[in-house]
Every structure is written in structure tokens, then in C-alpha cells.
Amino acid sequence: MLARLELRDIVVVSSRAQAEQAFDLLDASAVLGFDTESKPTFAKDEVSLGPHVVQFSSLKQAHVFQLHDPDCRDVVSTLLKAHHITKVGFGLTGDHQQILRTLRVTPQNVLDLNTVFRNQGYPKEIGVKAAVAVVLNRRFVKSRKATTSNWANRQLTESQIVYAANDAWAAMQVYHALGLRPPPA
């Protein structure tokens, strides 16, 4: 099992051609790891205009969509609305609100893995780092610098790309390790 996805395992999607290629691969999936990134807000009462990045991952590859391109936004919206794809992640409530406000879609067939852990007796949200430790017996390192970086930039840094992809990928790894299966279509 991989320790994390490397840059060679990640596709950054920022154009129509890339979005169409990514859609063909992702739409054939039954389950995808899922997460979003938004430019952080630091001022009181400032509202985030994100998400700026949406990422989907299989067990071996991730796609990081930059949403400044309208075609990328359309593909992401279609994938989020797809009932035949289970989208799995952690702490997705805030993501749903931002997606609805920004993309004007309500994600369908989404499984927040915090719910799975809560049903197993964990009293509070476990999060991706703790879940990786509990289920995979591995340390999952998340860069604080990447977390608080500007996700609205048109050119993401290598560390941003790797960070975003691995957030979605780790959720997919936990889902798979738990032996969960998508609901019948």
C-alpha cells in the first residue's frame, strides 16, 4: 500500500480538455475519495468564496480540479450530482454548504466517514489523520502551511497539489480498509 500519492499519481485539471478526460475516468467509478479546498478567510465576518479546488481520488490516482475554469466547474458539478458514484470524505458539512453556494448543486450519494466512526462508538468527529492512524496504523501528515495557503491561485504549488490529492486519497484508503461497499444503484 502506498504511503501517499506522489505528484506522478496526481492530475491537475484546469482546462476543458483535461476536465473531459478526467470525467471519462471518474464517471466510471463506483466510489471516489472526495474533498475540497478554499482560500482561507482571516477577517471577521469575511465569507469564503470557495471552494476553489475540488479533488476526487481512486485508490491509485487523484484528480485536483481548479474551479476558475467554467468547464472544470461543470464537470465537478456533474460528478457531485452523480447518484452512481459514492463520494467519501471527512467533515463534509462545510464543503456541502460552500458547494451549494458556489456551484449551485447539492452533492448526492456522499458518505462522511465521521458518521461511520460515530456509529462505531467514537463520540466526536475523528477526522482523516486520526482515522488513518486507527484504521491503517499509519501517520498521516498534513502541512499546516498548505492548509492555510491561497487555494484561489491559478497556479497551485507542488505542496498544495500533493496536499489536496492526499486528503481525498486518504479518505478512499480508509473507506477501502473498513471494507465498506457502495450502496446498490
Side-chain angles (χ1 to χ4, degrees):
M1 181 184 302
L2 296 170
R4 75 175 193 159
L5 290 178
E6 299 296 334
L7 208 50
R8 68 180 174 271
D9 308 309
I10 304 164
V11 178
V12 177
V13 182
S14 60
S15 71
R16 177 188 192 123
Q18 293 167 331
E20 288 172 354
Q21 273 188 317
F23 178 79
D24 289 342
L25 283 171
L26 297 170
D27 190 52
S29 302
V31 181
L32 291 169
F34 162 65
D35 198 19
T36 70
E37 307 299 337
S38 298
K39 177 182 173 184
T41 56
F42 298 106
K44 185 179 180 200
D45 298 326
E46 183 180 2
V47 176
S48 173
L49 301 176
H52 297 95
V53 173
V54 175
Q55 54 271 33
F56 297 101
S57 181
S58 68
L59 288 170
K60 296 183 180 177
Q61 184 181 52
H63 289 79
V64 177
F65 286 81
Q66 294 186 268
L67 299 183
H68 57 264
D69 181 272
D71 294 308
C72 291
R73 293 167 72 97
D74 289 345
V75 166
V76 166
S77 295
T78 300
L79 291 168
L80 289 171
K81 292 186 297 186
H83 289 277
H84 67 281
I85 303 171
T86 301
K87 280 77 67 183
V88 298
F90 287 91
L92 299 174
T93 304
D95 296 296
H96 281 249
Q97 293 167 350
Q98 287 187 332
I99 288 166
L100 181 58
R101 186 182 62 249
T102 304
L103 299 176
R104 303 202 189 295
V105 299
T106 301
Q108 301 298 309
N109 198 11
V110 175
L111 174 62
D112 190 324
L113 292 169
N114 281 319
T115 303
V116 173
F117 284 96
R118 206 171 13 262
N119 291 341
Q120 292 180 355
Y122 288 84
K124 60 181 182 168
E125 286 198 3
I126 189 167
V128 67
K129 285 172 66 172
V132 167
V134 167
V135 175
L136 302 171
N137 199 29
R138 287 199 332 248
R139 187 167 177 245
F140 184 66
V141 179
K142 290 180 70 158
S143 163
R144 183 79 171 143
K145 184 177 179 183
T147 302
T148 58
S149 63
N150 186 353
W151 293 97
N153 283 339
R154 286 192 173 268
Q155 183 68 42
L156 297 175
T157 66
E158 183 176 317
S159 65
Q160 283 178 306
I161 294 165
V162 170
Y163 173 94
N166 279 289
D167 256 4
W169 177 80
M172 188 66 180
Q173 293 293 317
V174 169
Y175 176 88
H176 182 72
L178 289 171
L180 299 173
R181 299 286 174 253

